[in-house]
Amino acid sequence: MSSHFALFSITITLLITVTVSEIRSTQIRSDSRSTIPFDEFGYTHSGRLNLTVTDISFSNQKTPLSQLGFFLCTLDAWVHVLEQLQEGEIQCPLESNLIKKVFTFDHLQPSAREFTASFSVSDANQFTLVFANCMPNLEVTMNVHSVMYNFNPKTRVLDFLSAGKTALPVIYLLFFVVYVLLGGVWIYTIYKKRLTVYKVHFFMLAVLVLKALDLLCEAEDKSYIKRTGTAHGWDVLFYIFSFLKGITLFTLIVLIGTGWSFVKPYLQDKEKKVLMVVIPLQVVANVAQVMIDETGPFGESSYTWKQVFLLVDIVCCCAVLFPIVWSIKNLREAAKTDGKAAVNLMKLTLFRQYYIIVICYIYFTRVVVYALETITSYRYQWTSMVAAEVATLAFYVFTGYNFRPKVHNPYFAIDDEEEEAASEALKLEDEFEL
């Protein structure tokens, strides 16, 4: 039995920071696991859990029902419960004084196959709802409907968002406004310098619009969950715009990295192949994200989909770097033959900077943000979302500013001294090594 408990501990550690809790229904069919985690929620001092379980049946009807039940537990408390089990102080998690017992099956009415229980949480913390089955080889079947929320005694309002994420609707709405303003600035820039506008600049506008719509739908999605516990269809729109935003952003990075429109008006075969790899992978990544959100943090396939998402995302991030590397290599070779040292130096510097920024953006949003989610208290889980959005905004601004349409091309006004200085700089091979 201890191996099952250890596995559950690892599962909680891996999945402790997942999207958003809400009203959730789960079907358990002939499951003999010693512990089954259902959902987690960040409670304030006035939290509540409503639990409804129906169609209960067991593979052995003579089992001691006191060994079956639901409880709430924090991650820190669960570590100590494991120690108690290993040291033999208790034989079942339901016997521990470190958990909050919600309902044990010995309280079921005779021949009853369902029950409803309510539990008030006065300790502000992040709790996981868990079912304990301390009877070896006993298979349990049931339908579990859980409702977790915080109650504000002053306003008499229910909040179905976890305590650390209740501010997300406002945060996403503020970022939506920022992107709308940014889109307005970009439209003005395109109009003012329309004589030097390339197709890629309109593609950049499309990326901005999709990002703004993605944020708007996410704000509305979280707002509905906050008020009602369900998304009411806004999650579908959010998934659609999130999917389009992800594809267009990675495509934009590839197009800029290849120098499309800026350096050359076409894509080579190998660059087209990168797009043919990135776009299908983004489809898979978005399908994985939907499955993770819909199955909940502890769904049977949630961990598998999470691994698929991480793998696909890493492959996409690596794939978009190749075109930038190819462009830098081509520019270095051209610098030795076309006699335009200053022009090539400026292009090399720009593409090298862009390469570094893309690396930093990918590292920050994939590694630093995840680390921030892991170490941050449940009350401040919103900070990781803010950090990711600020990094994304900074990346958009950098890309737009450096690849904006320019009326006066600085490459044309170059004197002999600047050309000679550029030639000397290009001779320093190490300056442009990646």
Side-chain angles (χ1 to χ4, degrees), residues 255-406:
L255 293 177
I256 292 178
T258 59
W260 182 67
S261 290
F262 298 108
V263 178
K264 57 188 179 185
Y266 59 89
L267 293 176
Q268 297 176 348
D269 288 340
K270 61 181 181 180
E271 295 162 349
K272 292 178 182 179
K273 289 178 181 178
V274 171
L275 285 175
M276 291 173 64
V277 170
V278 168
I279 293 176
L281 286 178
Q282 277 297 296
V283 174
V284 175
N286 279 272
V287 170
Q289 186 62 62
V290 171
M291 295 303 298
I292 292 170
D293 291 343
E294 294 303 313
T295 58
F298 303 107
E300 291 184 9
S301 60
S302 180
Y303 181 74
T304 301
W305 281 111
K306 195 176 183 68
Q307 296 297 96
V308 170
F309 175 79
L310 291 174
L311 176 61
V312 170
D313 197 45
I314 290 172
V315 173
C316 279
C317 292
C318 293
V320 297
L321 295 175
F322 284 108
I324 309 177
V325 175
W326 295 335
S327 292
I328 293 175
K329 181 181 178 181
N330 292 336
L331 286 169
R332 288 180 59 187
E333 292 175 353
K336 300 175 182 178
T337 58
D338 62 8
K340 298 179 181 179
V343 172
N344 286 296
L345 177 62
M346 297 175 76
K347 290 180 181 179
L348 270 171
T349 302
L350 178 58
F351 275 86
R352 184 172 180 270
Q353 288 176 348
Y354 190 63
Y355 175 84
I356 294 172
I357 291 299
V358 171
I359 289 287
C360 292
Y361 170 69
I362 291 173
Y363 179 80
F364 187 89
T365 54
R366 270 65 179 177
V367 179
V368 176
V369 170
Y370 178 77
L372 191 61
E373 288 179 353
T374 306
I375 64 175
T376 303
S377 168
Y378 80 98
R379 298 185 185 89
Y380 306 105
Q381 289 179 342
W382 57 269
T383 57
S384 61
M385 282 68 171
V386 171
E389 291 301 332
V390 169
T392 302
L393 179 61
F395 179 72
Y396 278 47
V397 170
F398 174 88
T399 302
Y401 179 79
N402 284 278
F403 295 96
R404 69 191 184 279
K406 298 179 182 179

Side-chain angles (χ1 to χ4, degrees), residues 171-187 204-216 245 249 361 365 385-398:
I171 291 172
Y172 286 130
L173 189 60
L174 289 175
F175 276 104
F176 163 73
V177 173
V178 171
Y179 277 96
V180 168
L181 295 176
L182 199 60
V185 172
W186 191 248
I187 292 173
M204 290 168 132
L205 177 61
V207 173
L208 273 178
V209 171
L210 289 173
K211 176 62 178 177
L213 291 174
D214 173 56
L215 286 168
L216 178 62
K245 180 260 301 181
L249 177 58
Y361 170 69
T365 54
M385 282 68 171
V386 171
E389 291 301 332
V390 169
T392 302
L393 179 61
F395 179 72
Y396 278 47
V397 170
F398 174 88

